[in-house]
Tab-separated table of all heavy atoms in Angstrom:
chain	number	residue	atom	x	y	z
A	273	GLN	N	98.160	64.478	-41.670
A	273	GLN	CA	97.587	64.850	-42.981
A	273	GLN	C	96.075	64.701	-43.001
A	273	GLN	O	95.398	65.269	-43.852
A	273	GLN	CB	98.185	63.940	-44.054
A	273	GLN	CG	99.655	64.184	-44.225
A	273	GLN	CD	100.110	63.846	-45.632
A	273	GLN	OE1	99.306	63.439	-46.461
A	273	GLN	NE2	101.378	64.043	-45.892
A	274	ASN	N	95.555	63.898	-42.074
A	274	ASN	CA	94.106	63.723	-42.012
A	274	ASN	C	93.440	64.691	-41.039
A	274	ASN	O	92.274	64.524	-40.686
A	274	ASN	CB	93.766	62.294	-41.582
A	274	ASN	CG	94.212	61.287	-42.608
A	274	ASN	OD1	94.318	61.615	-43.794
A	274	ASN	ND2	94.498	60.070	-42.176
A	275	ALA	N	94.191	65.688	-40.587
A	275	ALA	CA	93.611	66.653	-39.642
A	275	ALA	C	92.377	67.299	-40.268
A	275	ALA	O	92.387	67.629	-41.452
A	275	ALA	CB	94.642	67.720	-39.289
A	276	PRO	N	91.333	67.467	-39.483
A	276	PRO	CA	90.141	68.131	-40.027
A	276	PRO	C	90.453	69.609	-40.272
A	276	PRO	O	91.392	70.138	-39.695
A	276	PRO	CB	89.106	67.975	-38.911
A	276	PRO	CG	89.900	67.810	-37.654
A	276	PRO	CD	91.189	67.140	-38.057
A	277	PRO	N	89.672	70.269	-41.125
A	277	PRO	CA	89.902	71.698	-41.339
A	277	PRO	C	89.762	72.476	-40.030
A	277	PRO	O	89.039	72.040	-39.142
A	277	PRO	CB	88.792	72.110	-42.331
A	277	PRO	CG	87.862	70.957	-42.416
A	277	PRO	CD	88.542	69.753	-41.864
A	278	GLU	N	90.457	73.593	-39.923
A	278	GLU	CA	90.331	74.463	-38.756
A	278	GLU	C	88.853	74.777	-38.539
A	278	GLU	O	88.121	75.007	-39.503
A	278	GLU	CB	91.039	75.799	-39.034
A	278	GLU	CG	92.531	75.695	-39.139
A	278	GLU	CD	93.187	75.843	-37.786
A	278	GLU	OE1	92.909	76.852	-37.112
A	278	GLU	OE2	93.956	74.939	-37.399
A	279	PRO	N	88.422	74.802	-37.295
A	279	PRO	CA	87.011	75.143	-37.072
A	279	PRO	C	86.719	76.559	-37.583
A	279	PRO	O	87.545	77.453	-37.440
A	279	PRO	CB	86.859	75.070	-35.547
A	279	PRO	CG	88.228	74.984	-34.981
A	279	PRO	CD	89.158	74.541	-36.061
A	280	GLU	N	85.558	76.708	-38.212
A	280	GLU	CA	85.195	78.032	-38.722
A	280	GLU	C	84.908	78.977	-37.563
A	280	GLU	O	84.352	78.562	-36.558
A	280	GLU	CB	83.921	77.932	-39.566
A	280	GLU	CG	84.188	77.489	-40.975
A	280	GLU	CD	82.895	77.385	-41.776
A	280	GLU	OE1	82.009	78.234	-41.570
A	280	GLU	OE2	82.789	76.448	-42.566
A	281	ALA	N	85.288	80.236	-37.741
A	281	ALA	CA	84.956	81.224	-36.721
A	281	ALA	C	83.429	81.322	-36.653
A	281	ALA	O	82.759	81.287	-37.680
A	281	ALA	CB	85.553	82.573	-37.088
A	282	PRO	N	82.872	81.418	-35.438
A	282	PRO	CA	81.417	81.458	-35.329
A	282	PRO	C	80.839	82.686	-36.041
A	282	PRO	O	81.450	83.761	-36.044
A	282	PRO	CB	81.177	81.537	-33.814
A	282	PRO	CG	82.485	81.837	-33.192
A	282	PRO	CD	83.561	81.497	-34.168
A	283	LYS	N	79.690	82.473	-36.662
A	283	LYS	CA	79.039	83.587	-37.352
A	283	LYS	C	78.329	84.469	-36.339
A	283	LYS	O	77.715	83.967	-35.405
A	283	LYS	CB	78.002	83.042	-38.331
A	283	LYS	CG	78.602	82.336	-39.515
A	283	LYS	CD	77.533	82.212	-40.619
A	283	LYS	CE	78.080	81.488	-41.835
A	283	LYS	NZ	78.360	80.062	-41.583
A	284	GLY	N	78.390	85.759	-36.536
A	284	GLY	CA	77.655	86.669	-35.662
A	284	GLY	C	76.207	86.781	-36.120
A	284	GLY	O	75.741	86.022	-36.975
A	285	LEU	N	75.485	87.727	-35.557
A	285	LEU	CA	74.108	87.973	-35.977
A	285	LEU	C	74.102	88.551	-37.386
A	285	LEU	O	74.984	89.328	-37.743
A	285	LEU	CB	73.443	88.977	-35.040
A	285	LEU	CG	73.151	88.513	-33.613
A	285	LEU	CD1	72.696	89.708	-32.782
A	285	LEU	CD2	72.091	87.414	-33.607
A	286	ALA	N	73.102	88.201	-38.180
A	286	ALA	CA	73.002	88.755	-39.525
A	286	ALA	C	72.677	90.249	-39.475
A	286	ALA	O	73.066	91.016	-40.359
A	286	ALA	CB	71.936	88.001	-40.310
A	287	LYS	N	71.990	90.660	-38.422
A	287	LYS	CA	71.550	92.062	-38.332
A	287	LYS	C	71.577	92.485	-36.869
A	287	LYS	O	71.013	91.800	-36.010
A	287	LYS	CB	70.123	92.104	-38.894
A	287	LYS	CG	69.343	93.366	-38.784
A	287	LYS	CD	68.063	93.192	-39.627
A	287	LYS	CE	66.882	94.048	-39.213
A	287	LYS	NZ	66.294	93.839	-37.922
A	288	VAL	N	72.288	93.579	-36.580
A	288	VAL	CA	72.336	94.099	-35.207
A	288	VAL	C	71.617	95.439	-35.179
A	288	VAL	O	71.967	96.358	-35.910
A	288	VAL	CB	73.796	94.281	-34.729
A	288	VAL	CG1	73.831	94.935	-33.349
A	288	VAL	CG2	74.524	92.936	-34.697
A	289	ASP	N	70.577	95.547	-34.344
A	289	ASP	CA	69.802	96.786	-34.291
A	289	ASP	C	70.090	97.611	-33.051
A	289	ASP	O	69.819	98.812	-33.029
A	289	ASP	CB	68.303	96.455	-34.331
A	289	ASP	CG	67.943	95.721	-35.600
A	289	ASP	OD1	68.095	96.328	-36.676
A	289	ASP	OD2	67.573	94.536	-35.526
A	290	LEU	N	70.596	96.951	-32.025
A	290	LEU	CA	70.837	97.674	-30.776
A	290	LEU	C	71.954	96.960	-30.034
A	290	LEU	O	71.991	95.732	-29.986
A	290	LEU	CB	69.556	97.640	-29.926
A	290	LEU	CG	69.599	98.325	-28.560
A	290	LEU	CD1	69.735	99.834	-28.714
A	290	LEU	CD2	68.326	98.005	-27.771
A	291	THR	N	72.876	97.745	-29.481
A	291	THR	CA	73.930	97.149	-28.656
A	291	THR	C	73.925	97.843	-27.305
A	291	THR	O	73.881	99.073	-27.232
A	291	THR	CB	75.310	97.316	-29.336
A	291	THR	OG1	75.295	96.621	-30.587
A	291	THR	CG2	76.425	96.729	-28.480
A	292	VAL	N	73.897	97.053	-26.248
A	292	VAL	CA	74.025	97.628	-24.909
A	292	VAL	C	75.282	97.044	-24.265
A	292	VAL	O	75.615	95.887	-24.487
A	292	VAL	CB	72.792	97.317	-24.015
A	292	VAL	CG1	71.602	98.150	-24.433
A	292	VAL	CG2	72.427	95.833	-24.037
A	293	ASP	N	76.001	97.870	-23.493
A	293	ASP	CA	77.150	97.310	-22.771
A	293	ASP	C	77.086	97.737	-21.316
A	293	ASP	O	76.263	98.579	-20.945
A	293	ASP	CB	78.476	97.692	-23.443
A	293	ASP	CG	78.811	99.161	-23.303
A	293	ASP	OD1	78.733	99.693	-22.181
A	293	ASP	OD2	79.151	99.796	-24.326
A	294	ILE	N	77.945	97.146	-20.490
A	294	ILE	CA	77.822	97.368	-19.053
A	294	ILE	C	78.309	98.749	-18.642
A	294	ILE	O	78.123	99.150	-17.500
A	294	ILE	CB	78.544	96.270	-18.234
A	294	ILE	CG1	80.057	96.274	-18.487
A	294	ILE	CG2	77.948	94.891	-18.532
A	294	ILE	CD1	80.829	95.349	-17.545
A	295	GLY	N	78.949	99.467	-19.548
A	295	GLY	CA	79.256	100.875	-19.289
A	295	GLY	C	80.577	101.139	-18.593
A	295	GLY	O	80.931	102.292	-18.367
A	296	PHE	N	81.295	100.090	-18.213
A	296	PHE	CA	82.559	100.265	-17.497
A	296	PHE	C	83.546	99.214	-17.974
A	296	PHE	O	83.144	98.184	-18.499
A	296	PHE	CB	82.383	100.026	-15.982
A	296	PHE	CG	81.375	100.913	-15.343
A	296	PHE	CD1	80.056	100.496	-15.228
A	296	PHE	CD2	81.736	102.161	-14.843
A	296	PHE	CE1	79.109	101.311	-14.628
A	296	PHE	CE2	80.803	102.975	-14.249
A	296	PHE	CZ	79.473	102.551	-14.140
A	297	ASP	N	84.830	99.466	-17.728
A	297	ASP	CA	85.800	98.380	-17.776
A	297	ASP	C	85.865	97.852	-16.366
A	297	ASP	O	86.553	98.425	-15.514
A	297	ASP	CB	87.175	98.901	-18.225
A	297	ASP	CG	87.185	99.196	-19.716
A	297	ASP	OD1	86.736	98.325	-20.473
A	297	ASP	OD2	87.618	100.301	-20.107
Side-chain angles (χ1 to χ4, degrees):
Q273 294 208 0
N274 295 334
E278 292 272 306
E280 278 179 37
K283 290 197 181 68
L285 291 171
K287 173 171 155 296
V288 175
D289 300 296
L290 179 68
T291 298
V292 286
D293 70 49
I294 64 171
F296 302 92
D297 286 311

